[in-house]
Amino acid sequence: MKFEVVITISLKEGMLNPEAEAIQRAIAHLGFGVDHLRKRDQYRITLDAVDKQEAEKIAGSICERLLANPVIHTYEIEVI
Amino acid sequence: MKFEVVITISLKEGMLNPEAEAIQRAIAHLGFGVDHLRKRDQYRITLDAVDKQEAEKIAGSICERLLANPVIHTYEIEVI
């Protein structure tokens, strides 16, 4: 069966993110009041799996082996 | 007032995305069946605005002037 999985990778709280800081400054330069900005990467993947549980397990494995660095990232998995 | 806004930037359907293709190949090399992969950038921004409507308008302006390229991107805005 095919499952749609949404994986969201975020930097852990407290990790510096120069890209997000640059964007936040650019928004302030446009004249808008901005307090805080976080950037996350989201992957929407169509996976082969037997059931929802297996799809979730595969997605976890993809995060740990490929997409996320456990030292600096956290990840969320949602099977649709 | 402060509003939390989530902006999601995606490539338009049909645009080539070599990064997503490389990730899809890497997942296949891990031995998982993967059909389709899309990558999106998500920004979570804390904005100053009078009301929800204004927060949405500001977020639209940020997308059009800064985060999205209308030729290749679409964007979604959600005010929380």
Side-chain angles (χ1 to χ4, degrees):
Chain A
M1 268 178 79
K2 304 280 180 203
F3 288 89
E4 282 278 307
V5 181
V6 177
I7 294 175
T8 308
I9 311 275
S10 322
L11 275 175
K12 282 187 179 163
E13 203 64 61
M15 297 300 301
L16 292 179
N17 186 348
E19 185 189 356
E21 285 166 26
I23 293 168
Q24 189 172 334
R25 272 198 304 277
I27 293 173
H29 275 123
L30 291 180
F32 302 123
V34 55
D35 242 27
H36 192 236
L37 184 145
R38 298 190 70 186
K39 186 174 185 281
R40 316 195 295 176
D41 288 332
Q42 201 172 70
Y43 301 88
R44 196 181 173 116
I45 311 179
T46 311
L47 283 176
D48 294 327
V50 186
D51 54 23
K52 208 174 156 172
Q53 280 67 36
E54 204 206 9
E56 211 167 306
K57 212 178 131 199
I58 291 172
S61 191
I62 290 170
C63 288
E64 274 160 36
R65 294 167 68 187
L66 191 70
L67 298 176
N69 172 350
V71 179
I72 58 169
H73 293 132
T74 57
Y75 60 84
E76 284 163 51
I77 292 164
E78 192 193 347
V79 183
I80 301 172
Chain B
M1 269 178 79
K2 305 281 181 202
F3 289 89
E4 283 276 306
V5 181
V6 177
I7 294 174
T8 307
I9 312 275
S10 322
L11 275 175
K12 283 186 180 165
E13 203 63 62
M15 297 300 301
L16 292 179
N17 186 349
E19 184 189 357
E21 284 166 27
I23 293 168
Q24 188 172 334
R25 271 198 306 276
I27 293 173
H29 276 122
L30 291 179
F32 302 122
V34 54
D35 241 28
H36 193 236
L37 185 145
R38 296 190 69 186
K39 184 173 185 282
R40 316 195 295 174
D41 289 331
Q42 201 171 69
Y43 302 88
R44 196 180 173 116
I45 312 177
T46 312
L47 284 175
D48 295 326
V50 186
D51 54 24
K52 209 174 156 172
Q53 280 68 36
E54 204 206 10
E56 211 167 306
K57 210 177 132 199
I58 290 172
S61 191
I62 290 170
C63 288
E64 275 162 34
R65 293 166 70 186
L66 192 68
L67 298 177
N69 173 350
V71 179
I72 59 168
H73 293 131
T74 57
Y75 60 83
E76 284 163 50
I77 293 165
E78 191 193 350
V79 183
I80 303 172

